Structure formats: C-alpha cells, structure tokens
C-alpha cells in the first residue's frame, strides 16, 4: 500500500497518468484486501487526486455498499477538469461497475440521483453522450421510473467524444436499446421505434446480441405503427444478412402480416397455434414470451384490425358496421363500434357513426394538429441542417483537414500553411472555394 501511495504522489502530472493507470491495474488484487481502498482514499484529498480516485475505483472490486458510497463521494466532489479527458476509460468503467452493483443488490433506486448528477456534471453540452447515460436509463428501467428517464431521453444526442467522456459503442447501443424500452413503457411508440432503429443500425461488422434484441422489438413496433417493416439503407449489410438467421419467427410473422388475405385469426393462430388444424400447429408464443415480447406481439393484432379499417376509409365514404365486421374479421358490431370510436378519439381516422342506422361515414380531412406537426418537423429539420453546416465548417477549418489538403494540393501549400497558423476567416473563404472545386 505504501508503494502505491508513493506511485500516486509521483504521478501527479497529466502526462504520466497513463503510466499510473497501468501500475494500479497491475496491483488490482491489492485493492481487494480489507480496508485497503478506504485507507488509500482517506490519504488522497479528492480535490488534488481526482484522477487517482477515478483509477483506483475503476480497478477496485465492486462488491460492497462501501464501494457505492466511495463512488458517490467521488462523483459529487470531483473536479471535472481533472478527470474528463484525462482518464475517460476509467471514468466509464467506474460508472458500469457502480450500476452493476446496484443491479446485483437489487437497489436500482439508489443509483438514480448520483448517476443523473454525474451525467449533468461530465457532459460538455446537453447533446453529448456519456457512459452515465446508458447506466442511468438502465436503472430507471429496472426501477420502472419511466417519467424520470423521459427528460434525459428527450434531449437529442448530436455529439459523441470518446476521448473526453470515455463513451464506447456498447454505451451507445445500450442507451438506445434501454431508451426504446422506456418509450415503450410510456407507450410512445414512434420514439421507441426511432431508438430501436438506431440501436439496430449502429455501424458494425457482425451482428451483436443487443442489435438482435433491438430488432425483435423494432419489428413489432413497426408493425403496430406502419403495418410493415423496412430497415433504413444505412443499416450495415452484415447485420441485415444475419438477422434472418437469428430472428426466423419474426421474419415469418412479418411476411404473414403483409400477405394478401391475412386475417386477425391467422395472426392469432401464428402466435398461439391452431390445435384444430390437421396436424395441430404449434404457435410462436413460447418464442415471444422468452423474448419478453408476447404482449407487444398481441398488440400487433389489434393494430392490424385498426389498419384494416383505416384502409377502408380510402375506398368507401360510408359503410355499415356489419359490412366492416365482415371485411375486417370482427366478431360483433359492438366491438367494431368500440374500435372505430377509439380510432376517432386517437385521431387515426375522421368518421361519424350513426347509432340509428349503424352506418359509418368516413370524412376526408386533415387532423386538427396537422399544421403544428408540420411546423415542428420543419423546425427540427432546420436545427439539424444548422448543426450539419456547423460540423462541415469545423471539419473544413481543422488542422487535420488542412494538412491533408496540403498533401493533395502542393500549389496551395504556402497559403494553407498560413491559414493553419493564422486561422484567418477571409483567407479560409478564398481557399475553400478552390478546395471544393
């Protein structure tokens, strides 16, 4: 222990912190001895040795409540400038070990406030992703605190800087997967679909377990909202090719869902099986239950009925409830009326039901909030465009880009060198046109 204290005091400069981290990792077994961590941290003022605290906690065994307390003290009192960017990998490791211990001890509620405080403290801006994001959302999911997670999830992520925050591809994938689960719990299906899609389409050379689970939920949510499934073109080919092998029941269900002549009963039989068939057909219920997707799968059947009714509004202006029951495979007129009333209330269709004649009149009009939705979408597009332009300008004026262009355009070497040194806006403007041309 004395030798470790001596090593820590001898590596107080940022340039030697990587050596200190290697030294501490090589003495990981020492940190597991009773009382060693408590003694070390007592003799290291956190205001001066914040980076050392981070390294010690990242390699110390996370087994007791004392570890949770030590991490919470570290997060509340640490100097961010001395930790962020200095030991990013260790910072992320501390967060994951803390979260895992909260899960093991079945006290997810304890980690919510410390992790949220760490998120706000470590992230450079509200649009940066950190390792604390996914851990916080994970504990919110375990504790079913969906409303608490909603505010963080509602902030769009634009920046990922591993060198500063220690965020990894795993953090990115788990944040969007757990986030999609939170949105499902809040029944915000459009946002859940967006999060699951992001988790599936993360750049990869092979299929991961996280992407597989995200895809299964993506399929069912997409069927509920759109009645079809289509991954975006930027989804990695390696992922797309492997999904069919690992999600066979989901692939077959999508094909059946979109097939001509499919009825509510045929979808129900696919999930629950058909004991009356010869021979009896075993359904996919066991698979869906194993994946914790059974309730979501059953909701696709209700969505199928509503989507079938919505298609009728394109063809017919008026239709009797009895005719709707026949065309959409609904058991009774009362059930059909309840479904149509629910769709009208949700704004999915515009229609009127005549209680005396049992006739449904479909009205071709835009939803009341159509203009507001369009304006919100346009503003979102403007914000994204401005950020892309800002990123483009930043790349074009970066030293790395300029040096690369110097190697490609020898004639501009002197001028580009002057730009790199002076960062003159007017000089940039004179040269960027040539480079883009």
């Amino acid at each position: 222990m004395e030798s470790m204290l001596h090593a820590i005091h001898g590596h107080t400069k940022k340039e030697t912190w990587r050596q200190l981290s290697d030294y501490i990792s090589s003495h990981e077994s020492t940190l597991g001895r009773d009382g060693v961590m408590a003694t070390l941290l007592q003799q290291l003022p956190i205001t001066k040795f914040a980076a050392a605290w981070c390294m010690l906690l990242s390699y110390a065994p996370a087994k007791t409540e004392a570890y949770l307390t030590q991490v919470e003290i570290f997060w509340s009192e640490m100097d961010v400038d001395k930790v962020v960017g200095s030991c990013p990998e260790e910072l992320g490791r501390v967060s994951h070990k803390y979260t895992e211990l909260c899960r093991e001890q079945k006290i997810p509620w304890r980690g919510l406030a410390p992790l949220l405080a760490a998120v706000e403290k470590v992230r450079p801006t509200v649009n940066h992703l950190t390792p604390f994001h996914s851990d916080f959302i994970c504990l919110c999911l375990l504790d079913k605190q969906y409303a608490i997670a909603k505010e963080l999830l509602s902030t769009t992520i634009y920046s990922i800087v591993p060198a500063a925050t220690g965020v990894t591809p795993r953090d990115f994938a788990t944040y969007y997967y757990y986030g999609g689960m939170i949105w499902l719990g809040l029944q915000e299906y459009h946002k859940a679909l967006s999060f699951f899609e992001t988790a599936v389409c993360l750049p990869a050379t092979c299929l991961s377990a996280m992407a597989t689970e995200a895809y299964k939920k993506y399929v069912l949510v997409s069927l509920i909202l759109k009645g079809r499934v289509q991954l975006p073109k930027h989804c990695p080919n390696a992922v797309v090719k492997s999904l069919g092998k690992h999600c066979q029941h989901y692939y077959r269900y999508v094909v059946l869902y979109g097939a001509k002549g499919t009825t509510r009963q045929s979808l129900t039989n696919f999930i629950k099986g058909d004991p009356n068939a010869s021979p009896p057909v075993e359904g996919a219920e066991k698979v869906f239950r194993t994946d914790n997707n059974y309730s979501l799968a059953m909701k696709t059947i209700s969505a199928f009925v509503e989507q079938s009714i919505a298609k009728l509004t394109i063809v017919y202006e008026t239709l009797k409830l009895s005719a709707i029951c026949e065309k959409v495979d609904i058991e009774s007129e009362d059930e059909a009326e309840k479904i149509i009333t629910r769709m009208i209330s949700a704004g999915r269709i515009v229609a009127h039901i005549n209680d005396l004649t049992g006739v449904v009149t479909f009205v071709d009009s835009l939803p009341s909030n159509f203009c507001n939705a369009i304006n919100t979408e346009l503003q979102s597009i403007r914000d994204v465009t401005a950020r892309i332009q800002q990123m483009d300008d930043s790349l074009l004026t970066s030293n790395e880009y300029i040096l690369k262009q110097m190697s490609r355009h020898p004639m501009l070497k002197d001028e580009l060198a002057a730009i790199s040194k002076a960062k003159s806006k007017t000089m940039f403007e004179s040269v960027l046109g040539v480079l883009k041309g």
Side-chain angles (χ1 to χ4, degrees):
M1 188 169 65
E2 292 297 330
S3 61
M4 187 172 293
L5 278 172
H6 180 73
I8 292 172
H9 282 280
H11 293 81
T12 55
K13 293 184 179 180
K14 186 176 179 180
E15 294 77 14
T16 63
W17 282 350
R18 182 47 51 198
Q19 299 174 15
L20 177 61
S21 178
D22 293 339
Y23 175 83
I24 294 175
S25 68
S26 65
H27 292 75
E28 193 170 341
S29 58
T30 304
L31 300 177
R33 297 175 186 170
D34 292 341
V36 170
M37 273 296 293
T39 304
L40 282 172
L41 297 179
Q42 263 184 344
Q43 299 183 45
L44 297 171
I46 192 171
T47 53
K48 184 179 179 181
F49 296 97
W53 269 65
C54 185
M55 294 172 194
L56 287 168
L57 290 169
S58 71
Y59 292 111
K63 296 180 180 178
T64 64
E65 187 178 352
Y67 182 84
L68 297 178
T69 304
Q70 290 164 356
V71 172
E72 289 161 4
I73 292 172
F74 167 62
W75 285 342
S76 64
E77 299 182 14
M78 70 176 178
D79 185 342
V80 177
D81 296 332
K82 292 182 180 179
V83 178
V84 175
S86 303
C87 43
E89 294 178 9
E90 290 80 1
L91 191 65
R93 195 180 302 123
V94 171
S95 175
H96 299 329
K97 292 175 74 171
Y98 175 88
T99 303
E100 187 61 31
L101 185 56
C102 287
R103 293 179 61 178
E104 288 177 359
Q105 296 192 354
K106 298 181 180 180
I107 49 171
W109 50 266
R110 173 168 178 167
L112 297 182
L115 279 168
L116 183 58
V119 167
E120 296 173 348
K121 199 170 187 178
V122 169
R123 61 183 177 182
T125 69
V126 295
N127 303 116
H128 276 74
L129 184 67
T130 72
F132 301 100
H133 278 74
S134 59
D135 290 333
F136 173 73
I137 298 302
C138 174
L139 293 187
C140 284
L141 187 62
L142 288 174
D143 203 36
K144 298 183 179 180
Q145 298 292 342
Y146 305 144
I148 296 176
K150 182 177 180 179
E151 184 176 354
L152 186 65
L153 292 173
S154 298
T155 303
T156 305
I157 298 297
Y158 290 112
S159 301
I160 300 173
V161 188
T165 61
V167 68
T168 64
R170 177 186 175 278
D171 298 326
F172 186 92
T174 53
Y175 171 74
Y176 281 97
Y177 176 71
Y178 293 146
M181 296 284 286
I182 293 289
W183 287 124
L184 277 183
L186 294 168
Q187 297 188 8
E188 300 253 10
Y189 292 108
H190 284 92
K191 293 179 180 178
L193 183 68
S194 175
F195 270 64
F196 288 135
E197 181 182 290
T198 304
V200 174
C201 297
L202 178 69
T205 55
C206 61
L207 182 65
S208 66
M210 188 67 69
T212 303
E213 295 306 310
Y215 177 75
K216 292 174 180 178
K217 289 179 169 55
Y218 172 82
V219 164
L220 299 176
V221 176
S222 185
L223 290 177
I224 290 171
L225 292 177
K226 304 176 181 180
R228 57 184 175 82
V229 177
Q230 184 176 3
L231 282 169
K233 293 181 179 179
H234 64 264
C235 188
N237 288 331
V239 172
V240 175
K241 291 178 180 178
S242 301
L243 284 171
K245 179 181 178 182
H246 293 84
C247 308
Q248 293 182 10
H249 286 86
Y250 293 83
Y251 262 68
R252 287 166 49 203
Y253 189 60
V254 170
V255 172
L256 175 63
Y257 199 97
K260 187 176 180 180
T262 297
T263 63
R264 178 166 69 168
Q265 188 58 49
S266 60
L267 294 177
T268 304
N269 290 343
F270 181 91
I271 296 175
K272 294 188 174 183
D274 186 4
N276 298 323
S278 181
V281 178
E282 183 180 357
E285 180 176 350
K286 184 177 180 180
V287 174
F288 287 132
R289 287 192 182 277
T290 301
D291 296 335
N292 292 321
N293 289 331
Y294 178 73
S295 61
L296 204 57
M298 294 305 294
K299 286 181 181 178
T300 62
I301 299 177
S302 301
F304 177 82
V305 174
E306 293 187 2
Q307 290 158 8
S308 300
I309 293 174
K311 290 177 183 177
L312 296 178
T313 66
I314 302 172
V315 181
Y316 301 96
E317 290 186 358
T318 59
L319 206 59
K320 285 190 174 183
L321 287 171
S322 57
I324 293 175
C325 292
E326 182 180 346
K327 293 179 181 296
V328 185
D329 190 21
I330 300 176
E331 294 181 356
S332 67
E333 294 185 16
D334 288 339
E335 184 185 357
E337 185 176 355
K338 288 178 181 178
I339 294 172
I340 293 171
T341 302
R342 184 171 66 244
M343 293 176 69
I344 294 171
S345 301
R348 296 189 184 95
I349 61 172
V350 182
H352 305 291
I353 303 176
N354 190 318
D355 293 330
L356 296 177
T357 59
V359 173
V360 182
T361 303
F362 301 114
V363 181
D364 187 14
S365 65
L366 296 174
S368 58
N369 62 342
F370 180 77
C371 292
N372 291 335
I374 290 293
N375 289 332
T376 301
E377 195 68 24
L378 287 173
Q379 185 58 48
S380 176
I381 292 171
R382 292 190 195 100
D383 292 341
V384 172
T385 303
R387 287 182 177 275
I388 292 174
Q389 184 62 51
Q390 183 181 6
M391 185 179 295
D392 185 58
D393 292 342
S394 176
L395 290 172
L396 287 173
T397 57
S398 66
N399 286 334
E400 292 82 359
Y401 177 81
I402 291 172
L403 291 172
K404 192 172 184 178
Q405 294 305 318
M406 284 170 63
S407 64
R408 292 182 177 179
H409 301 273
M411 296 179 62
L412 296 175
K413 185 174 181 179
D414 295 338
E415 191 169 359
L416 287 168
I419 292 171
S420 179
K421 184 177 181 180
K423 293 286 185 180
S424 168
K425 183 178 178 181
T426 55
M427 292 178 68
F428 271 126
E429 291 175 348
S430 65
V431 177
L432 290 181
V434 178
L435 295 180
K436 289 180 179 178

